[in-house]
Amino acid sequence: MSPRRVPVGRSNRAAKPPLNREGIVTVALQIMHEEAFESVTMRRLAAEFQTGPASIYVYIANVAELRGAILDRLLGGLDLNRQATSETAREVLIGLLADYIGMLLGPPSLARAVLVLWPSGPNYLKLIDNVLALLLLDGVPPRQAAWGVDQLLQHATATAAEHGTRVDFSEGERDGYRLRSAIEEATAEDYPAIAKLRGELFSGTPGQRLRWQLTALIEGIAGTAVPV
Amino acid sequence: MSPRRVPVGRSNRAAKPPLNREGIVTVALQIMHEEAFESVTMRRLAAEFQTGPASIYVYIANVAELRGAILDRLLGGLDLNRQATSETAREVLIGLLADYIGMLLGPPSLARAVLVLWPSGPNYLKLIDNVLALLLLDGVPPRQAAWGVDQLLQHATATAAEHGTRVDFSEGERDGYRLRSAIEEATAEDYPAIAKLRGELFSGTPGQRLRWQLTALIEGIAGTAVPV
DNA sequence: ACCTGAACACCGTTCAAGT
DNA sequence: ACCTGAACACCGTTCAAGT
C-alpha cells in the first residue's frame, strides 16, 4: 500500500449531513472527491461524524455495502436521456459507455475498485435498461442484445480499472510502464509475434483505441448468433 | 471484509523453502492454495518463516510486487504449446483463453485481485505473444491483432473477476444474486427493455456464454478496421 | 431502544538497534 | 553488511456497557 494521506478534515463543506444512511453516503462521496476512494473507510466516516466506528454499522452492514451505495449514488449522475439527438443508436450507445467509463475515472482510485463492487442499485438497473434499449434500436437481435449487455458493461468497467491504474502514477515504478518496457525489450527469439507487431501494440490515442474497442465489441455482438 | 480465517499452519508441506525471493513466492503460493489469495500478507509470510515482517522487505519491495510475482509464477503453469493439434487457430485461441480464465478461478479470491495486478513478468509476455500469434494465424489483419490482444486478455481477466466473486458465496447476501433478483423484480414501467428481455438475460450455461463472448469478441476484432 | 467506547484481531511499512 | 524487533499508523467488526 502507498503511504496514507493526511486527513484533510471537513474543509470547505456545507452544513454537516445527519447521521443516517443517506448522510453517511453523502459524506463518503465528499471524502472520495476530496481525497480518494480508498480513503473512505468505516473508521474515517465515524471520525467525520465525531463518533465511534460502531455507529456506522447501525446504518450500513459492512464495507461492501458502503462501496455499493457510493457507486449507485455516482451512477445517478449519468445522463440517460440522450436518445433525442440525431445520432444513430450505435453512436449514442458508444457515447453512453464512454461517459460511464469517464465517470469511473473521475474520483482517484475508484476505477480499480469497481470491478469488485457489483452494484445492484436502481441507477445501475437503469444503465442496463438503457444499454439494452440502444442495442435493440441498433438492430441487434434480442437474444444477442441480452447476452451482450453484460459484456459491454464488463468491458467498460475493466477499461476504467485498467486506465485508472495507469493514470494514478505516484511512483516511477508503475506496473503499466513495466509491462510496456518489457514489451519494448522483448527479443524476437523469445517473443516472435510481439517483435513482429511491436510498432502497432501501442499505436493510436487512448480515445481512438476505446472507440475501436467498443465498435469491435458491438460489431461482434451484433454479428454472432447465440446458440439454440 | 469477511471474518479472518484461522491460519492453518504449515500442515502437510514439504521441507521449508529458503528465505529468499524464490522461497517467499513458493510459500506465498502454498498459502494461496491452502487458504486464499487474500491470506497472503507480508506479515503472514514473515510468520511462516518464523521472523519479523521487516525481513520480507529485504527481498520484496511491497505487496504489489509480491502479488505480481505470485501471478507470474502461476502463469508459468499455462500450456502454451497446443498449436500442434488439428483444431483451427481460433479454436486453439478460445481454448487458451478459457484455460487462462480457469487458472485465475482456481485459487479462492485470486480472480478478484488480478484486475489490479498488472503483471509484467516473462510468463505474461509469453501469453501475449501466443495470443498475438494465434490471431495472426486465424487471419486477423496485423494492426487489428495488435489492438485486439489487449482487449482479449482484459476480457479474460474481467470475466474471471466477475465469476470469481459469484463462486465464493459465503453469505446469502451475495452481490451477484442481489443484482439478479433486482433484475427479476424490475417493473416494465421503470425498466421496459429489461422487462422485454428478462427471459434471455440469464439464459444459457456459463460455458456457453463464455464461448459466445470470446467468439463475438474475436469476430469483432477480425471484422473492425483500425483507423488510419 | 438506540447508540458507542473500547477491545479484538489483524494490516503495510519503516527504522533503529542488534548480530 | 545483513537482518529483524518493535513501533507507527492505520484497518473491519463486535459486544458489553452506557444513555
Side-chain angles (χ1 to χ4, degrees), chain A residues 76 100 112 128 141 167-168 179 206:
Chain A
Y100 176 50
R112 268 178 298 171
I128 292 177
V167 158
D168 163 14
L179 176 61

Side-chain angles (χ1 to χ4, degrees), chain A residues 1 43 51-52 54-55 58-59:
Chain A
M1 308 275 116
R43 293 184 95 100
T51 179
S55 305
V58 175
Y59 306 99

Side-chain angles (χ1 to χ4, degrees), chain B residues 41-43 54 57 62-63:
Chain B
T41 66
M42 299 299 254
R43 293 184 95 99
Y57 285 84
N62 49 46
V63 256

Side-chain angles (χ1 to χ4, degrees), chain B residues 6-47:
Chain B
V6 184
V8 167
R10 38 185 57 261
S11 55
N12 47 351
R13 268 172 227 159
K16 67 177 138 192
L19 178 48
N20 56 32
R21 201 192 149 90
E22 224 192 312
I24 290 171
V25 177
T26 301
V27 172
L29 267 114
Q30 286 170 353
I31 297 174
M32 182 184 71
H33 279 117
E34 288 169 17
E35 297 174 38
F37 182 74
E38 67 220 18
S39 299
V40 185
T41 66
M42 299 299 254
R43 293 184 95 99
R44 172 68 190 281
L45 242 14

